Every structure is written in structure tokens, then in C-alpha cells.
Amino acid sequence: MHLFGLSHAPDIGSAIAWHARDPGLAFIAGGTDLIGLIKDRAALPKRLVDINGLSELTPIKPLAGGGVRIGALARMSDVAANPEVRERFPVIAEGLLFAASGQLRNMASIAGNILQRTRCAYFRDQDDPPCNKRRPGSGCSALHGINRNHGIFGWTDSCVATHPSDVAVALAAMDAFVLVRGGSGERSIPFAEFHRLPGNTPERDNVLERGELIIAIEVPGRPEGRASHYLKVRDRQSYEFALVSAAAAVATDGGRIRSARLALGGVAHKPWRLSAAEEALAGIALNDTDKLRAAIALSFADAHPLTHNAFKIELARRVALRALQTAGERA
């Protein structure tokens, strides 16, 4: 049994200050991922600070121009059910409803969801096999092991794990921002820059520094937001993480794509934007499946499958196409 201390943050400033000066301290909100990490001995904090009392981090508010601000402690179920989110960004609501179970969505916070750590079985294994995320420098067991669920983009010999969040894929597609507060003030991080590729330091999942706390996520109003869709393919229909998922959003003129946003999940260490496809899709008719498929394929030039997951390339192309066309039906 791992023993830890527990305290309650009276305010945001205290939570940040405690975290900054104590490397053995971790924030806890819903705890739906952290408690599992502790059980798996993949995270062993000496002290936890409960931030659930910071009520100013819970509101979900519409923003001028069609955007929305989601407090860091807003529960996943509340965000998914929020009328403004459902109307302005159905892709976000759908990404949340595809995630976890109803019980977990009632507990888990939106910030905790995007901070959750990989579900790589080697990382989560209590027997502690070589894993650079658990023990930097020990190696990556998945690189030449069982890697069916692992990355096809952006991986290195240090780590081939994928990021597990569904809603993070939707937020990446919508060009969201993560608002963070630390001892020196606040900063706004573009969502595409928040999560890191593994490089030589796969133990770092994101760009947060010690003594920083997520305050909110802001999603700017976008012309594509209302015509959007999240599609997830998994091994079973009930609670399961994605083999491949896609967030798609489009703005159209007379049945042709004016602009598009596409991101994939289950394929990389972070949500993976299909930037080349987005550019190539402009002007293509939504019913021209061959041209849509060809445009999407442009974003797969850098795909590098592992021993057991080459099927993800074709699967991801099909999932992106279907998500895009479903989004187009809402335009």
C-alpha cells in the first residue's frame, strides 16, 4: 500500500504555491486517472492537495463570437450536457460521451481528462517492465513488443505510446487554448502545443511546469464548429479506449468544403492534426468521396506503423472520411 498525505486547497494561490515548492505533491480533483496510476505504482505522490473546493474553476460560460470557456473542474458529464457546448461544438459533447462510463464522467474533470496518462499496458504494468515513461532510460518494451494499440505518427525509439483522451482530439481540432496559472501569472497555451511528442523525454506528457494549474479551456468561435462530429473506433462498444478516432468539422458553400478541421486520436503521443488534408480539402464537394479520400491520404505520408498496427493507417483514413462526411451532413 502506498501511503500519502491529503490536504485541501483553500484558494488557487495556495494550491499553486504548495505545488511549486513541493516536488512530492500532486493535485487531485476527480481522481479517476490518478488513483489508477497509484494502484499501478506508475505514480507515487507523497502528498495530494484536493482542489475540488475551488468553485471558481467549475463554470461553463459562452464567449462572445460563438466560443465557450470551460472551467478546469467542470465535470465531463456537465460539459457534455451543456446546451452551449452541444449547440456550438457538438464534436466536444460527442467526444466526452464516447469517453469512459457514465459514473466516471460524473466524477472526472475536464482538465483531468486532457492530463490523463497513456494506457500503454507496459506503462501501467505493476511488474515494472522497461518503460521510459516510468523509469527514464530503461527502454521501451512496446517498441518491439505487443504494439497493436500504439502510435503510427510522431513516435521515437524512446516511446511509441498514444494519448488516451477523446475530448482532447476534439479540442485540438477546434483550435482550443489551455489557460494556465502559475506563480508568475497566467499564460494561454494553444492546444496543439500543450501535449508533447515523446522525443527523448517521454516522461513529460505536456508543457506544464511545476507550480502551474490549469484554470480553464477556451474554445474560440469557429465557422466549422456547429457542423462537427466525433467518431471513435474501439474493440468493444462499451467502455474502451480508441484504436482510432477522428474529430471533424466543416464549413461549406453549396455543398463544397470552404474550410475543414480534422484531428485523429489513438495514433500518436498527442492529438494528431491532419493539416495537409485540411488544406487540400478546400473546394471539394462533400459527396465526392474519391477526392475526399485522396485529400485525407496526403496527411499519411509521415505515418510509420509498428509491427502490429499497420492496419491503423487504412482504418484512420476511413474514420477521418466518415467523420468528415457526417459533419458535412450537419452543415
Side-chain angles (χ1 to χ4, degrees):
M1 178 181 293
H2 175 66
L3 301 178
F4 54 83
L6 176 66
S7 57
H8 299 269
D11 52 64
I12 294 175
S14 296
I16 291 171
W18 296 349
H19 192 264
R21 65 173 178 256
D22 185 352
L25 181 145
F27 296 126
I28 186 168
T32 56
D33 189 43
L34 180 57
I35 298 303
L37 290 169
I38 293 173
K39 289 180 178 179
D40 293 333
R41 304 192 70 79
L44 298 172
K46 296 179 181 178
R47 285 162 292 280
L48 300 180
V49 57
D50 185 346
I51 59 174
N52 285 298
L54 306 179
S55 58
E56 61 266 53
L57 303 186
T58 61
I60 306 167
K61 300 178 180 179
L63 297 174
V68 65
R69 178 185 172 108
I70 304 170
L73 291 180
R75 303 303 173 185
M76 291 171 61
S77 55
D78 292 334
V79 180
N82 182 271
E84 298 291 346
V85 173
R86 291 171 65 88
E87 181 180 355
R88 299 182 181 196
F89 303 103
V91 67
I92 295 175
E94 291 170 352
L96 289 164
L97 291 172
F98 267 117
S101 64
Q103 296 93 329
L104 288 173
R105 291 195 298 269
N106 287 338
M107 285 293 296
S109 68
I110 194 76
N113 183 273
I114 68 169
L115 289 173
Q116 66 181 300
R117 308 205 68 190
T118 183
R119 298 292 161 168
C120 173
Y122 297 105
F123 171 69
R124 299 270 175 170
D125 191 339
Q126 294 186 43
D127 291 335
D128 197 23
C131 174
N132 289 318
K133 292 182 85 66
R134 286 179 75 123
R135 289 183 291 111
S138 64
C140 175
S141 293
L143 181 62
H144 300 295
I146 299 172
N147 46 43
R148 177 177 180 269
N149 295 330
H150 291 69
I152 59 173
F153 292 108
W155 57 266
T156 65
D157 287 354
S158 294
C159 183
V160 298
T162 59
H163 193 271
S165 172
D166 290 299
V167 74
V169 183
L171 293 169
M174 291 291 95
D175 295 321
F177 292 85
V178 183
L179 305 185
V180 173
R181 187 178 301 175
S184 58
E186 290 193 11
R187 62 180 177 135
S188 178
I189 306 169
F191 206 88
E193 300 173 12
F194 180 75
H195 296 99
R196 300 176 69 256
L197 290 176
N200 295 319
T201 55
E203 70 275 13
R204 292 198 62 194
D205 294 332
N206 55 65
V207 298
L208 287 179
E209 301 292 346
R210 196 79 206 162
E212 287 191 319
L213 177 66
I214 297 177
I215 300 301
I217 295 170
E218 287 194 352
V219 189
R222 296 206 56 88
E224 307 91 355
R226 294 174 187 266
S228 60
H229 179 59
Y230 184 76
L231 179 61
K232 178 177 180 178
V233 174
R234 46 196 169 173
D235 281 329
R236 57 181 181 180
Q237 188 62 24
S238 60
Y239 176 26
E240 184 59 278
F241 295 91
L243 277 175
V244 170
S245 65
V250 294
T252 62
D253 283 323
R256 292 185 177 273
I257 296 172
R258 184 169 75 248
S259 58
R261 294 289 181 273
L262 275 175
L264 295 178
V267 297
H269 201 254
K270 60 186 291 184
W272 195 260
R273 279 290 289 271
L274 302 185
S275 300
E278 291 175 355
E279 184 175 345
L281 284 165
I284 298 177
L286 279 163
N287 60 3
D288 193 336
T289 300
D290 289 340
K291 287 187 177 179
L292 294 178
R293 186 180 290 115
I296 290 168
L298 294 175
S299 281
F300 286 79
D302 296 330
H304 296 289
L306 296 158
T307 305
H308 303 124
N309 70 1
F311 71 92
K312 279 194 176 187
I313 294 179
E314 179 60 25
L315 179 62
R317 289 175 178 174
R318 294 186 183 194
V319 171
L321 174 63
R322 182 174 173 185
L324 180 69
Q325 291 184 312
T326 302
E329 293 171 0
R330 298 173 175 177

